[in-house]
Amino acid sequence: MNKPLGEESDYAMLTLNGVFVLLVLVPVIEEFVFRGVFMFGKNRYWSMVYIPVVVFVGITLFKLPLGTNMIMVISLLVGMSSFLFYSSIKSFIRMNSLLMIVLMALLFSVGHIHNYETWDLNSYLGLLPRLTGGLFFGYAAVKYSLWAAMGFHFGNNLIVVLLAFLQQVIVTGGV
C-alpha cells in the first residue's frame, strides 16, 4: 500500500490560492522578516520600515495579548529608535554578519514550530532542514541580495509543491 508523503491537510494547499501563498507570499514575507536585517546597509530609512514590521509580525505570530493600537505604538517606537541608532545597529550587523546569519536561521527554524503537533525526536529533527535552509537563505541575502534569498525560497517551496502535486496525482489518482 502506498502511503502519502504528507498529511491530508497538506494537500488542501494544492489550490490556486494555496499555491500562490506558498510560492509568493511566504518567501517574500519570511525573507523580509528573517533576512531583511541585512538590508540595513542600504539606507537609514530602511530601518524605520523593517524593525516595526518585524515587531508587528513577532507580536502577531506569538499572539501576545496586546491591542492593535498598542502593537502599532510599540512598532513605531522601535522604528524611531532604530532610526536614531542606525549607525550602531548597522555596524553591529556588518561586524557580526556570520552570527546574524546563524541567529536568523535559528529564528527561522523555530518560527516553523507550528508545523508540528507534538514534540518528539522527529519534531526536533524536522527543524534541521529549516535551519539549513535558513543558513543558505541568509548567506544568499548577504552575498547577493534579499531578492536572491526570496528567489531561492521560492524554488525551495516550488519543489515541495511539485512533490505534493506528484504524490497526489500518482498515488491517489487525482488532485
Side-chain angles (χ1 to χ4, degrees):
M1 179 172 128
N2 291 329
K3 185 174 186 281
L5 292 172
E7 301 293 324
E8 285 299 317
S9 61
D10 295 339
Y11 298 111
M13 292 297 291
L14 291 178
T15 64
L16 189 56
N17 288 340
V19 170
F20 176 77
V21 167
L22 286 172
L23 296 182
V24 178
L25 291 182
V26 167
V28 169
I29 292 169
E30 286 187 354
E31 291 309 310
F32 181 80
V33 168
F34 292 105
R35 260 65 71 184
V37 69
F38 300 114
M39 297 297 290
F40 259 79
K42 299 299 179 194
N43 65 42
R44 178 177 227 123
Y45 298 101
W46 177 254
S47 66
M48 289 189 66
V49 174
Y50 171 72
I51 291 187
V53 168
V54 170
V55 169
F56 180 80
V57 168
I59 290 173
T60 306
L61 182 68
F62 294 110
K63 296 178 178 63
L64 295 178
L66 294 174
T68 305
N69 292 338
M70 185 60 105
I71 292 171
M72 292 300 183
V73 168
I74 291 172
S75 300
L76 183 63
L77 290 174
V78 170
M80 295 296 281
S81 64
S82 68
F83 182 81
L84 295 172
F85 300 109
Y86 171 76
S87 59
S88 300
I89 295 170
K90 178 182 170 182
S91 64
F92 177 82
I93 291 170
R94 289 197 179 251
M95 289 178 8
N96 300 294
S97 59
L98 181 60
L99 173 68
M100 293 300 294
I101 289 172
V102 171
L103 178 64
M104 291 303 177
L106 284 169
L107 290 173
F108 177 73
S109 180
V110 170
H112 287 86
I113 284 178
H114 68 276
N115 293 355
Y116 304 100
E117 293 178 14
T118 62
W119 278 101
D120 54 8
L121 181 60
N122 288 333
S123 297
Y124 287 112
L125 293 176
L127 294 177
L128 289 177
R130 285 150 183 94
L131 177 64
T132 305
L135 291 170
F136 177 75
F137 299 149
Y139 174 78
V142 170
K143 179 77 174 171
Y144 302 106
S145 72
L146 189 59
W147 291 107
M150 287 178 189
F152 285 123
H153 199 148
F154 168 85
N156 178 70
N157 289 4
L158 178 63
I159 291 168
V160 172
V161 167
L162 290 176
L163 287 174
F165 179 76
L166 287 174
Q167 174 74 19
Q168 189 75 344
V169 169
I170 293 169
V171 173
T172 63
V175 178

XYZ file of all heavy atoms in Angstrom, residues 25-78:
438
model
N 3.784 34.708 -1.407
C 3.676 35.439 -0.140
C 4.641 34.934 0.930
O 5.308 35.735 1.591
C 2.246 35.387 0.384
C 1.207 36.161 -0.420
C -0.164 36.058 0.233
C 1.611 37.605 -0.585
N 4.713 33.625 1.110
C 5.587 33.083 2.158
C 7.052 33.445 1.923
O 7.707 33.957 2.830
C 5.379 31.555 2.319
C 6.467 30.928 3.163
C 4.004 31.276 2.919
N 7.610 33.229 0.712
C 9.016 33.626 0.525
C 9.255 35.124 0.721
O 10.245 35.515 1.340
C 9.318 33.218 -0.923
C 8.368 32.127 -1.215
C 7.122 32.468 -0.449
N 8.364 35.962 0.239
C 8.562 37.404 0.364
C 8.495 37.822 1.834
O 9.388 38.513 2.343
C 7.526 38.189 -0.480
C 7.544 39.658 -0.142
C 7.803 37.982 -1.968
N 7.459 37.391 2.537
C 7.284 37.804 3.934
C 8.371 37.206 4.832
O 8.996 37.918 5.615
C 5.878 37.428 4.449
C 4.826 38.279 3.725
C 5.782 37.613 5.966
C 3.396 37.826 3.949
N 8.609 35.900 4.709
C 9.609 35.284 5.585
C 11.007 35.816 5.324
O 11.770 36.044 6.257
C 9.583 33.756 5.441
C 8.397 33.126 6.114
C 8.440 31.609 6.128
O 9.356 31.010 5.508
O 7.563 31.026 6.765
N 11.368 36.015 4.077
C 12.707 36.541 3.795
C 12.826 37.990 4.268
O 13.863 38.382 4.786
C 13.049 36.425 2.308
C 13.251 35.002 1.851
C 14.216 34.213 2.716
O 15.333 34.702 2.998
O 13.855 33.101 3.129
N 11.775 38.765 4.106
C 11.809 40.139 4.606
C 11.996 40.150 6.121
O 12.816 40.893 6.645
C 10.528 40.886 4.223
C 10.516 42.308 4.700
C 11.197 43.292 4.011
C 9.840 42.663 5.855
C 11.202 44.604 4.451
C 9.828 43.972 6.310
C 10.515 44.946 5.599
N 11.262 39.284 6.809
C 11.324 39.269 8.271
C 12.654 38.690 8.766
O 13.301 39.272 9.631
C 10.132 38.477 8.865
C 10.337 38.191 10.342
C 8.840 39.239 8.640
N 13.084 37.556 8.196
C 14.254 36.872 8.742
C 15.579 37.303 8.116
O 16.625 37.144 8.736
C 14.100 35.354 8.612
C 13.013 34.803 9.494
C 11.813 34.406 8.961
C 13.203 34.717 10.856
C 10.806 33.904 9.773
C 12.205 34.224 11.677
C 11.002 33.814 11.137
N 15.574 37.800 6.895
C 16.826 38.224 6.261
C 16.850 39.699 5.911
O 17.848 40.216 5.444
C 17.073 37.404 4.992
C 18.039 36.263 5.136
C 17.650 35.151 6.032
N 16.579 34.330 5.497
C 16.033 33.335 6.164
N 16.462 33.018 7.348
N 15.047 32.649 5.674
N 15.767 40.410 6.150
C 15.717 41.842 5.874
C 16.698 42.636 6.702
O 17.092 43.737 6.327
N 17.141 42.066 7.816
C 18.100 42.737 8.685
C 19.390 43.057 7.931
O 20.072 44.032 8.228
C 18.373 41.887 9.941
C 19.131 40.628 9.599
C 19.099 42.684 10.987
N 19.715 42.274 6.922
C 20.941 42.504 6.166
C 20.820 43.671 5.192
O 21.790 44.051 4.554
C 21.355 41.229 5.426
C 21.618 40.084 6.363
C 20.816 38.963 6.354
C 22.650 40.151 7.281
C 21.039 37.919 7.232
C 22.883 39.112 8.171
C 22.077 38.000 8.147
N 19.641 44.259 5.090
C 19.431 45.417 4.221
C 19.757 46.725 4.949
O 19.634 47.793 4.376
C 17.982 45.457 3.726
C 17.589 44.279 2.871
S 18.531 44.201 1.352
C 17.863 45.606 0.500
N 20.174 46.640 6.198
C 20.467 47.845 6.969
C 21.531 48.712 6.313
O 21.584 49.902 6.535
C 20.887 47.494 8.397
C 19.795 47.677 9.386
C 18.807 46.736 9.528
C 19.743 48.807 10.174
C 17.783 46.896 10.427
C 18.729 48.989 11.091
C 17.754 48.031 11.215
N 22.398 48.122 5.523
C 23.439 48.908 4.879
C 22.928 49.781 3.751
O 23.637 50.657 3.270
N 21.695 49.573 3.317
C 21.167 50.304 2.164
C 20.896 51.774 2.487
O 21.386 52.647 1.811
C 19.899 49.636 1.630
C 20.112 48.226 1.159
C 21.102 48.167 0.029
C 21.329 46.736 -0.405
N 22.474 46.579 -1.241
N 20.085 52.025 3.477
C 19.863 53.416 3.908
C 19.180 53.442 5.274
O 18.644 52.445 5.740
C 19.063 54.216 2.867
C 17.661 53.716 2.689
O 16.973 53.394 3.645
N 17.219 53.635 1.443
N 19.221 54.597 5.870
C 18.709 54.785 7.225
C 17.193 54.564 7.305
O 16.681 54.086 8.310
C 19.073 56.199 7.673
C 18.592 56.563 9.013
C 19.058 57.960 9.394
N 19.583 57.870 10.722
C 20.788 58.196 11.113
N 21.638 58.685 10.274
N 21.164 58.047 12.349
N 16.477 54.898 6.258
C 15.016 54.792 6.279
C 14.537 53.341 6.231
O 13.427 53.035 6.629
C 14.398 55.609 5.148
C 14.734 57.064 5.312
C 15.743 57.651 4.555
C 14.094 57.835 6.271
C 16.079 58.981 4.737
C 14.426 59.167 6.464
C 15.419 59.732 5.692
O 15.749 61.038 5.890
N 15.392 52.454 5.731
C 15.048 51.035 5.702
C 14.742 50.533 7.106
O 13.830 49.754 7.316
C 16.208 50.260 5.086
C 15.999 48.783 5.072
C 16.610 47.868 5.871
C 15.099 48.050 4.252
N 16.155 46.611 5.594
C 15.224 46.692 4.597
C 14.191 48.396 3.258
C 14.486 45.697 3.978
C 13.466 47.395 2.650
C 13.612 46.072 3.015
N 15.495 51.004 8.107
C 15.295 50.555 9.482
C 13.935 50.981 10.016
O 13.353 50.297 10.847
C 16.400 51.085 10.387
O 16.331 52.489 10.492
N 13.428 52.103 9.540
C 12.111 52.570 10.008
C 10.985 51.702 9.464
O 9.896 51.686 10.011
C 11.892 54.025 9.618
C 12.760 54.963 10.426
S 12.321 56.671 10.156
C 10.695 56.724 10.872
N 11.246 50.972 8.390
C 10.245 50.065 7.833
C 10.453 48.657 8.384
O 9.508 48.019 8.840
C 10.337 50.045 6.287
C 9.418 49.001 5.703
C 10.039 51.419 5.726
N 11.693 48.211 8.357
C 11.985 46.822 8.703
C 11.640 46.482 10.152
O 10.891 45.538 10.418
C 13.457 46.505 8.426
C 13.865 45.167 8.970
C 13.426 43.997 8.357
C 14.637 45.056 10.118
C 13.761 42.769 8.860
C 14.976 43.826 10.632
C 14.538 42.682 9.996
O 14.860 41.464 10.512
N 12.187 47.207 11.093
C 12.016 46.843 12.508
C 10.555 46.905 12.957
O 10.086 45.977 13.614
C 12.961 47.662 13.410
C 14.390 47.196 13.128
C 12.609 47.500 14.865
C 15.437 47.746 14.023
N 9.787 47.938 12.614
C 8.374 47.901 13.024
C 7.611 46.720 12.440
O 6.778 46.120 13.129
C 7.812 49.225 12.500
C 8.986 50.109 12.393
C 10.145 49.230 12.044
N 7.913 46.350 11.205
C 7.233 45.200 10.602
C 7.589 43.924 11.364
O 6.730 43.094 11.650
C 7.581 45.071 9.096
C 7.140 43.738 8.537
C 6.944 46.207 8.318
N 8.870 43.766 11.702
C 9.292 42.580 12.445
C 8.635 42.543 13.818
O 8.168 41.490 14.264
C 10.833 42.524 12.557
C 11.275 41.437 13.520
C 11.442 42.310 11.192
N 8.580 43.669 14.497
C 7.923 43.717 15.807
C 6.445 43.357 15.660
O 5.908 42.541 16.413
C 8.090 45.111 16.465
C 7.199 45.250 17.686
C 9.542 45.351 16.834
N 5.780 43.927 14.666
C 4.367 43.646 14.432
C 4.147 42.163 14.139
O 3.277 41.523 14.727
C 3.849 44.505 13.275
C 2.403 44.276 12.982
C 1.437 44.883 13.758
C 2.010 43.460 11.932
C 0.090 44.673 13.499
C 0.676 43.246 11.671
C -0.283 43.849 12.449
N 4.965 41.599 13.248
C 4.831 40.179 12.899
C 5.126 39.309 14.114
O 4.422 38.339 14.380
C 5.753 39.814 11.711
C 5.847 38.308 11.522
C 5.251 40.474 10.432
N 6.159 39.670 14.883
C 6.503 38.893 16.071
C 5.397 38.881 17.102
O 5.043 37.830 17.640
N 4.839 40.032 17.365
C 3.751 40.118 18.348
C 2.525 39.361 17.844
O 1.875 38.638 18.593
C 3.412 41.592 18.661
C 4.567 42.215 19.466
C 2.106 41.691 19.439
C 4.415 43.705 19.697
N 2.240 39.485 16.570
C 1.091 38.798 15.986
C 1.314 37.292 15.961
O 0.424 36.514 16.290
C 0.830 39.317 14.560
O 0.700 40.728 14.607
C -0.420 38.713 13.973
N 2.526 36.890 15.566
C 2.842 35.471 15.459
C 2.747 34.766 16.804
O 2.200 33.674 16.913
C 4.257 35.292 14.880
C 4.739 33.874 14.662
C 3.932 33.213 13.550
C 6.215 33.862 14.311
N 3.256 35.397 17.836
C 3.229 34.788 19.158
C 1.956 35.122 19.924
O 1.818 34.761 21.080
C 4.474 35.187 19.950
C 5.725 34.622 19.345
C 6.635 35.448 18.717
C 5.971 33.261 19.376
C 7.783 34.928 18.148
C 7.117 32.732 18.812
C 8.023 33.566 18.193
N 1.037 35.835 19.267
C -0.284 36.127 19.818
C -0.212 36.721 21.223
O -0.898 36.281 22.133
C -1.150 34.882 19.802
C -1.443 34.370 18.409
C -2.256 33.106 18.451
C -2.621 32.592 17.090
N -1.567 32.193 16.234
N 0.670 37.687 21.378
C 0.770 38.358 22.668
C -0.491 39.191 22.896
O -1.034 39.773 21.964
C 2.015 39.243 22.716
C 3.341 38.495 22.631
C 4.496 39.486 22.643
C 3.493 37.520 23.781
N -0.970 39.254 24.116
C -2.248 39.922 24.383
C -2.141 41.447 24.410
O -2.463 42.083 25.399
C -2.636 39.362 25.752
C -1.336 39.082 26.404
C -0.416 38.626 25.300
N -1.674 42.018 23.324
C -1.634 43.475 23.212
C -2.675 43.894 22.182
O -2.876 43.219 21.187
C -0.249 43.941 22.745
C 0.915 43.690 23.704
C 2.218 44.072 23.017
C 0.757 44.486 24.974
N -3.309 45.010 22.412
C -4.276 45.512 21.450
C -3.569 46.011 20.196
O -2.373 46.285 20.206
N -4.303 46.150 19.106
C -3.738 46.612 17.839
C -3.101 47.981 17.987
O -2.015 48.232 17.450
C -4.828 46.645 16.747
O -5.423 45.352 16.663
C -4.235 47.012 15.414
N -3.730 48.882 18.721
C -3.149 50.214 18.917
C -1.817 50.134 19.652
O -0.868 50.832 19.297
C -4.109 51.118 19.698
C -5.339 51.445 18.890
O -5.316 51.369 17.663
N -6.415 51.796 19.567
N -1.743 49.281 20.663
C -0.505 49.119 21.417
C 0.592 48.532 20.518
O 1.748 48.945 20.594
C -0.734 48.232 22.630
C 0.473 48.116 23.516
S 0.997 49.703 24.138
C 0.440 49.581 25.795
N 0.230 47.567 19.678
C 1.200 46.977 18.748
C 1.762 48.054 17.828
O 2.968 48.135 17.593
C 0.548 45.838 17.921
C 0.227 44.660 18.820
C 1.472 45.405 16.787
C -0.596 43.582 18.151
N 0.883 48.908 17.312
C 1.329 49.973 16.410
C 2.233 50.976 17.132
O 3.238 51.410 16.587
C 0.123 50.705 15.799
C -0.667 49.857 14.866
S 0.367 49.306 13.507
C -0.802 48.426 12.550
N 1.896 51.326 18.363
C 2.718 52.267 19.130
C 4.095 51.670 19.399
O 5.125 52.332 19.198
C 2.009 52.652 20.457
C 2.959 53.374 21.390
C 0.779 53.499 20.177
N 4.138 50.409 19.824
C 5.416 49.751 20.081
C 6.244 49.686 18.800
O 7.436 49.997 18.795
C 5.197 48.344 20.680
C 4.643 48.455 22.091
C 6.500 47.541 20.670
C 4.210 47.134 22.690
N 5.604 49.305 17.705
C 6.303 49.217 16.421
C 6.862 50.575 16.013
O 8.005 50.674 15.544
C 5.368 48.687 15.333
O 4.898 47.414 15.669
N 6.079 51.615 16.175
C 6.526 52.964 15.822
C 7.701 53.401 16.694
O 8.692 53.948 16.194
C 5.370 53.962 15.958
C 5.665 55.386 15.548
C 6.004 55.457 14.064
C 4.481 56.280 15.856
N 7.624 53.134 17.993
C 8.721 53.498 18.894
C 10.004 52.743 18.553
O 11.093 53.318 18.550
C 8.327 53.232 20.354
C 7.267 54.165 20.934
C 6.860 53.702 22.332
C 7.782 55.595 20.982
N 9.865 51.471 18.257
C 11.035 50.682 17.877
C 11.617 51.193 16.569
O 12.837 51.313 16.419
C 10.669 49.179 17.781
C 11.796 48.380 17.167
C 10.325 48.632 19.150
